[in-house]
Amino acid sequence: WRVPARGDMRFGVYIGLPEHCKDSSERIAWLEGGTHIERWSINCPGGLFGHEIEVLGLAATVIDALARVERLDGTTQVVRVVPSDPVFTVTESESLSEVIATYTMLGVEHILLGIDHLLFVFALLLLVPGRRMLIWTITSFTLAHSVSLAAATLGWVRVPQAPVEAVIALSILFVAMEIVHWKQGRPGITRRWP
């Protein structure tokens, strides 16, 4: 269970399991890179299929939660849990298209609601010559962003949030300076090799 944290204070959302589920191990909690992490085992006689899990406290927020249920057969169920509906039902199976739809919607919202992404893409629109090169550049940006986001979400890569945000800001500043240099008649590497 991962929850955003600031210092020692964690966001006030908790996991609400079905009544037949009981903790079978002690909860171990720690802070790691701006995240409060808890790990423990539960025992749910009869399993979780068909039962509801609730993200307690989510309804009083403006954030979403991403729930991932990993089954013993290696399949997963990925659900986006929102404040207006903080409960989801554990299913026996989930199609690949449902997983893709969940992550696609998250990705689209992430890009469209992130001013940093919009500024970066806008800068590329100004800087990159030709429609074909622009399409390749934006596609490459989107692909690289998707791979890095998936790697972070799946826990393959762990990078502290503050340095990542600083590098994002620096990349926007870098592209802005490339635009200034290009307008002054000194095209930089980004204009030549976007």
Side-chain angles (χ1 to χ4, degrees):
W1 181 244
R2 297 173 171 274
V3 180
R6 179 162 290 187
D8 291 338
M9 296 182 55
R10 72 187 288 284
F11 215 79
V13 291
Y14 302 89
I15 191 84
L17 296 167
E19 288 185 12
H20 73 286
C21 295
K22 305 293 181 214
D23 290 357
S24 61
S25 73
E26 186 177 326
R27 291 182 186 220
I28 300 169
W30 67 94
L31 287 169
E32 182 178 301
T35 304
H36 174 86
I37 302 170
E38 289 181 61
R39 183 177 289 261
W40 73 101
S41 296
I42 59 168
N43 184 15
C44 302
L48 283 173
F49 300 135
H51 292 279
E52 292 183 338
I53 295 178
E54 180 176 4
V55 180
L56 303 168
L58 191 65
T61 72
V62 294
I63 64 167
D64 297 346
L66 189 64
R68 188 174 70 223
V69 177
E70 296 180 7
R71 299 182 193 89
L72 293 176
D73 66 2
T75 61
T76 61
Q77 176 184 358
V78 179
V79 182
R80 179 181 180 196
V81 188
V82 296
S84 61
D85 188 14
V87 176
F88 73 95
T89 302
V90 178
T91 61
E92 288 195 46
S93 65
E94 184 177 39
S95 70
L96 179 60
S97 63
E98 290 172 315
V99 174
I100 290 171
T102 298
Y103 278 107
T104 300
M105 194 60 174
L106 283 171
V108 168
E109 285 182 11
H110 178 77
I111 290 172
L112 293 179
L113 297 177
I115 189 70
D116 53 344
H117 297 87
L118 295 176
L119 285 171
F120 190 80
V121 171
F122 179 68
L124 291 176
L125 287 170
L126 295 174
L127 188 62
V128 176
R131 180 174 287 166
R132 185 174 179 179
M133 183 58 77
L134 180 63
I135 289 170
W136 275 109
T137 302
I138 292 176
T139 301
S140 298
F141 165 71
T142 304
L143 182 61
H145 189 277
S146 299
V147 168
S148 62
L149 189 59
T153 301
L154 296 172
W156 298 339
V157 176
R158 298 194 195 285
V159 182
Q161 184 177 353
V164 169
E165 289 178 358
V167 169
I168 290 169
L170 287 172
S171 71
I172 294 167
L173 180 63
F174 173 78
V175 175
M177 290 304 299
E178 289 280 285
I179 292 170
V180 170
H181 291 160
W182 168 59
K183 292 290 187 182
Q184 293 172 345
R186 298 178 293 147
I189 191 169
T190 306
R191 175 92 176 153
R192 293 187 310 265
W193 298 98

